Each structure stands twice: as structure tokens, then as C-alpha cells.
Amino acid sequence: MPQLLSQILKPFVNKNVFRHNIMVRTWRSSTQSHGCYPMMMIDHILKVGDSSDGRVERGDESLGEKEVWITDPKLAEVVRSSMNIILNQRGQDIHMVEKTEYTLPKFIDNVHLYMEHISSRNITENFYFPPLPKGSQIQNIAMSSCPDINNEDWVMAVKFSGSKLKLYRHNKDFRWIDIETTHESISPHSSLMYSKKDQRFYVPTPGCNYLCSFDLNFKEKDKLEFVEVRKTDLPKYELFEFMEINSFTRTDHMVESPSGEQFLISWYYGDECKLNYKELTVIHNTKQFKVFREKEELTDRKTKFMSYTENIGDLCIFLGHGEALCIPASTIPGLKPNCIYFAGHNYGVFDITTQTCYLFSTDEGLLSSTQFPSWPHPLSLTPN
């Protein structure tokens, strides 16, 4: 794969690339197996149009949508892996097993979640968590900080299918704290996130008129808090635009930048008919995103004012199965500012400036993954 990447990027790589190799490697050690510049490859594919060797071609195009057709299966897999590397920026691999060397006989009918984490010292650390019922479906995980054997204060929250939430405090009490919720209070497909600024976990309600929230010290029998979301400066739609967006399904995701700026992202999916091998099929693919920036001067503990924006500056946002991520584009070679990179059900890039959605496609259809942790909808982790 590194040779394949080198061939693709050869005409565009200059000496400045190699000055940033260390930065890219620290993003995650496994990046080395994909070459040292995975996002430069993504950027090149978006810009190249039809490649001379036929491995990348422009597919269907319509207003606000562009299909990037990758004809080479090996290249398609590299694109998928490269996008996944960025989404897993904390260097965590989540696994589920039926038993471990620490499993007690009374937990033999349960499954165990464990995590392999690559520390800042490039050392792999293993963390085991309390048992879960077999068939547990994990949608996403959010943490107060990167896990560290020497740090006893980190907290992990888990969102399960069916709008269930559990909390775990490392080295405090080896058990899950159940958080009582209802289907009406938690959006089934929107992601859970942790705000370092607010020191709270947030997950949108089904209509995203509120954010369900709880802090690090949440205890069983405590009540969830709800923060009202007030969207301002909404875009004006033509009638056909309003009718179209009204037909889409939507998930909502909160994300926080390293400086503490908070954004609310609405991710829209729509149905589309495709003719594959003379058969008409209906696919559900990404259509567009709407971005709202928090107005900090108006926000208080009970209400967040979110203003529609088409400019997030040098920042990039990453959405997938796990906790949403927001970083400056200037920190990683190849990242394009003011863009949303998304992975899982579809893989692609949304340019906020031009309101254009680029979707990666292959001979088998839209590039996607049903493997944890990329899939943005609930799934069972299959025990090894």
C-alpha cells in the first residue's frame, strides 16, 4: 500500500511534505503502514478529476453533489483506511470478547469490552471494562480524556442502541453506572460527545431542540439535565429546496474544537435510485450538512444559542461512528480547511464553502464500511 500511495502522490509531493512526517506519525502510529501522508492522497483524489491511469474518474454530478469513482479496489481500500485513521485519532481499538483471564464464573454469560490504546509514549496499553450482557449494541463511546494507566480521573460514557447510556469511572469503581433515559430523550442515531470546556457529556434529543447532558460525577438515580438549543440566522430556502430537505433523514452531532468552540452539525441523508447491472436499486446516501456555531456571549447553562454558518475558518470536522472530532486543518498535511470529512455509511468530504458534497464510489457502489468503529448506526460488536 505505501508503494501505491507513492505512485499516486509522486507528481505532487515536494520537500515540504517530509517536514511534516513526524506530525503525521504522531497522529497515530499505524499511519506508517499507509504512507506518511494519507490526507494528501485524499486531497489529490478530490482535485485530480479523471486520472490518466483510469483509477480515479468523475462519476455522476448534480447541484451540490459530486461522485468520485475509484475503479481500483486497492486504492479504494487505502482511501477507506486513511479516513478511518483520522477518525480514530486517539489511537484506540475497541474489542469485545466473551471472556478474559479475569472473568469470574458468575460473568460467564456476559461479554467484555476492552480497549487497546497507544499512549503518547508509543506504548500499547490494555484496559478492561466491566462485563456487559451478550448482544449489547454499542453505538458510540466518548471519553473525558485519553486513557492513561497513571491517570485515575478519566471517565468513559457509552451510548447503546435503544437510547441507553452507561458511565464508567476508571479506578473508581469497577462497574457500569446505568443512566436512566427514555426513547423520547435520546436521539437513536446522533452521537454522544464530551465537552472539555463544559466538563459535561452531551447527546441531542430526537428533534435536536435540546441536548441531554450529564457531568463526570453523575450517580445512579441522578436526573439528566436538558439544555435548550436555539438556532439563529437560519438560511432561507427556495420552495424546492425546502421540499427536498424536508424529505431527508437527519442525525445531529455536537463537536468541540481544541480552543473550546462548539459546533452543532446536522447530517442529512436522502434516497436515490441507482441502476446497477440493469437492476434498479434505492440507496440512502449523504446529501448535505448544516453547521451551527455556538454564540458564547448568549449561551448559559440552560440554553445554547447556535448560529448557522458556512465558515468555520481553518478548522475541519470529522464524523463517523465515534465521537465527532474537530481540528485545525493546518496541523495535518493535506487537510482542507472549512470541510467535513465523513466515514462509515458513506465516505466523502463536504466543502462548507461551496456547499458541495463529494462521495467516494466504487464498482460495487458507494464506498462504505459496516465494521466498528466506522459505521454511524448501532451494531453489535461480535465477540472474538
Side-chain angles (χ1 to χ4, degrees), residues 140-189:
N140 86 291
I141 293 170
M143 295 187 179
S144 61
S145 62
C146 287
D148 189 332
I149 291 177
N150 299 318
N151 175 13
E152 298 184 357
D153 297 329
W154 59 272
V155 176
M156 181 173 78
V158 181
K159 184 173 182 281
F160 296 82
S161 64
S163 303
K164 295 180 181 179
L165 297 172
K166 290 181 183 289
L167 197 68
Y168 170 77
R169 295 190 182 92
H170 182 62
N171 282 348
K172 299 293 183 181
D173 188 5
F174 192 72
R175 67 187 183 97
W176 293 106
I177 298 173
D178 289 318
I179 300 176
E180 293 185 9
T181 63
T182 64
H183 291 287
E184 293 80 10
S185 62
I186 302 292
S187 173
H189 298 311

Side-chain angles (χ1 to χ4, degrees), residues 134-249:
K134 282 188 177 180
S136 295
Q137 293 183 311
I138 295 176
Q139 184 176 347
N140 86 291
I141 293 170
M143 295 187 179
S144 61
S145 62
C146 287
D148 189 332
I149 291 177
N150 299 318
N151 175 13
E152 298 184 357
D153 297 329
W154 59 272
V155 176
M156 181 173 78
V158 181
K159 184 173 182 281
F160 296 82
S161 64
S163 303
K164 295 180 181 179
L165 297 172
K166 290 181 183 289
L167 197 68
Y168 170 77
R169 295 190 182 92
H170 182 62
N171 282 348
K172 299 293 183 181
D173 188 5
F174 192 72
R175 67 187 183 97
W176 293 106
I177 298 173
D178 289 318
I179 300 176
E180 293 185 9
T181 63
T182 64
H183 291 287
E184 293 80 10
S185 62
I186 302 292
S187 173
H189 298 311
S190 296
S191 57
L192 174 72
M193 65 86 70
Y194 177 73
S195 166
K196 290 186 177 181
K197 182 179 71 172
D198 300 340
Q199 296 190 345
R200 301 185 69 82
F201 292 94
Y202 291 110
V203 60
T205 58
C208 200
N209 293 319
Y210 295 88
L211 298 174
C212 174
S213 77
F214 53 97
D215 63 20
L216 300 174
N217 300 311
F218 190 93
K219 301 178 180 65
E220 287 186 359
K221 306 302 181 183
D222 283 354
K223 298 296 182 182
L224 292 168
E225 296 183 27
F226 291 90
V227 180
E228 184 181 2
V229 175
R230 294 190 182 180
K231 297 177 180 178
T232 64
D233 305 318
L234 294 170
K236 295 181 179 180
Y237 296 111
E238 298 290 342
L239 180 59
F240 79 93
E241 292 176 313
F242 178 79
M243 293 177 64
E244 182 182 46
I245 202 168
N246 196 46
S247 68
F248 295 158
T249 57

Side-chain angles (χ1 to χ4, degrees), residues 45 150 163 167 220 236 255-256 272-273 340 381:
I45 288 176
N150 299 318
S163 303
L167 197 68
E220 287 186 359
K236 295 181 179 180
V255 65
E256 186 173 285
E272 187 173 315
C273 289
I340 297 171
L381 288 179

Side-chain angles (χ1 to χ4, degrees), residues 371-383:
Q371 295 184 357
F372 189 87
S374 303
W375 185 245
H377 302 301
L379 79 163
S380 294
L381 288 179
T382 304

Side-chain angles (χ1 to χ4, degrees), residues 69-195:
W69 190 20
I70 304 173
T71 61
D72 184 342
K74 291 183 179 179
L75 177 57
E77 183 55 39
V78 171
V79 169
R80 181 170 20 224
S81 299
S82 298
M83 296 280 281
N84 289 344
I85 287 173
I86 299 297
L87 283 163
N88 193 11
Q89 54 90 23
R90 284 180 171 173
Q92 299 160 0
D93 287 323
I94 307 294
H95 305 275
M96 190 173 278
V97 294
E98 290 186 343
K99 62 181 180 179
T100 70
E101 57 184 307
Y102 308 108
T103 301
L104 299 175
K106 66 179 179 178
F107 295 130
I108 199 67
D109 292 330
N110 296 69
V111 291
H112 295 263
L113 190 70
Y114 80 93
M115 175 174 58
E116 294 178 349
H117 171 70
I118 302 175
S119 70
S120 58
R121 301 182 299 277
N122 206 26
I123 299 173
T124 300
E125 301 169 336
N126 293 323
F127 297 91
Y128 290 87
F129 301 98
L132 293 166
K134 282 188 177 180
S136 295
Q137 293 183 311
I138 295 176
Q139 184 176 347
N140 86 291
I141 293 170
M143 295 187 179
S144 61
S145 62
C146 287
D148 189 332
I149 291 177
N150 299 318
N151 175 13
E152 298 184 357
D153 297 329
W154 59 272
V155 176
M156 181 173 78
V158 181
K159 184 173 182 281
F160 296 82
S161 64
S163 303
K164 295 180 181 179
L165 297 172
K166 290 181 183 289
L167 197 68
Y168 170 77
R169 295 190 182 92
H170 182 62
N171 282 348
K172 299 293 183 181
D173 188 5
F174 192 72
R175 67 187 183 97
W176 293 106
I177 298 173
D178 289 318
I179 300 176
E180 293 185 9
T181 63
T182 64
H183 291 287
E184 293 80 10
S185 62
I186 302 292
S187 173
H189 298 311
S190 296
S191 57
L192 174 72
M193 65 86 70
Y194 177 73
S195 166

Side-chain angles (χ1 to χ4, degrees), residues 251-295:
T251 60
D252 298 290
H253 309 268
M254 282 287 293
V255 65
E256 186 173 285
S257 73
S259 64
E261 281 188 285
Q262 291 183 358
F263 300 91
L264 177 64
I265 315 300
S266 293
W267 186 348
Y268 291 91
Y269 297 87
D271 294 333
E272 187 173 315
C273 289
K274 287 281 187 180
L275 187 63
N276 292 323
Y277 303 107
K278 298 183 179 180
E279 290 187 8
L280 189 64
T281 59
V282 176
I283 60 173
H284 200 57
N285 63 294
T286 299
K287 290 294 185 179
Q288 59 179 268
F289 295 84
K290 298 296 180 188
V291 182
F292 299 85
R293 185 198 302 265
E294 180 191 27
K295 287 187 172 182

Side-chain angles (χ1 to χ4, degrees), residues 15-66:
K15 294 180 180 178
N16 292 329
V17 173
F18 301 101
R19 297 174 186 171
H20 296 279
N21 281 355
I22 295 176
M23 183 184 298
V24 180
R25 287 194 182 100
T26 58
W27 185 254
R28 191 172 186 226
S29 62
S30 64
T31 306
Q32 295 178 22
S33 65
H34 297 79
C36 298
Y37 28 75
M39 299 316 295
M40 288 193 67
M41 178 199 64
I42 301 295
D43 183 56
H44 173 61
I45 288 176
L46 293 176
K47 292 177 178 177
V48 71
D50 294 336
S51 63
S52 58
D53 57 11
R55 287 185 292 174
V56 179
E57 297 179 6
R58 282 286 180 255
D60 296 337
E61 294 191 12
S62 59
L63 183 63
E65 295 180 36
K66 293 187 178 182

